C-alpha cells in the first residue's frame, strides 16, 4: 500500500491532468462525428484545435507524447481518407 504522501501526490496529479485529458477526448469525439457526417471543412477547422489540445496535454504530462502523435496521425488520416473519397 502506498504511503499517505504518495497517495496525496497521485490524487493531486490526477486532478490536474484530468481536464487536459477530457478536453482532448471530447474534441476528438467531435472531429470523428464531423468526419462521419461528411462535414470535411468543419472537421479540418476543429482538427487544428484537437492538435493543440493534444500537444498541450502531452507537454504537461497528461498523456505520453507518442500517444498524442498517434492520435493526431489517425485524425489526419481519417480526414484525408474521407476527403479523397468524396472528391474534394
Amino acid at each position: 500500500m502506498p504511503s499517505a504522501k504518495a497517495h496525496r501526490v497521485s490524487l493531486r496529479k490526477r486532478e490536474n491532468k484530468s481536464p487536459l485529458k477530457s478536453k482532448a477526448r471530447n474534441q476528438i469525439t467531435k472531429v470523428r462525428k464531423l468526419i462521419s457526417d461528411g462535414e470535411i471543412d468543419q472537421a479540418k477547422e476543429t482538427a487544428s484545435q484537437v492538435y493543440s489540445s493534444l500537444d498541450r496535454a502531452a507537454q504537461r504530462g497528461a498523456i505520453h507524447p507518442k500517444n498524442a502523435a498517434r492520435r493526431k496521425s489517425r485524425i489526419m488520416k481519417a480526414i484525408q481518407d474521407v476527403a479523397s473519397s468524396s472528391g474534394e
Side-chain angles (χ1 to χ4, degrees), residues 20-21 23-32 34-35 42-58 63 68-69 71-76 79:
L20 296 169
K21 291 166 80 169
K23 182 177 181 181
R25 278 197 308 263
N26 290 339
Q27 288 183 342
I28 288 171
T29 304
K30 187 187 298 185
V31 169
R32 286 186 178 153
L34 289 171
I35 291 170
Q42 288 181 342
K44 287 180 181 177
E45 292 172 11
T46 309
S48 65
Q49 296 171 355
V50 172
Y51 302 153
S52 77
S53 67
L54 284 170
D55 287 337
R56 188 173 295 119
I63 61 174
R71 291 181 188 198
K72 290 190 298 185
S73 173
R74 287 178 181 170
I75 290 170
M76 287 183 220
I79 290 173

Side-chain angles (χ1 to χ4, degrees), residues 1-11:
M1 180 140 182
S3 66
K5 182 179 178 184
H7 183 64
R8 281 195 314 269
V9 170
S10 69
L11 290 177

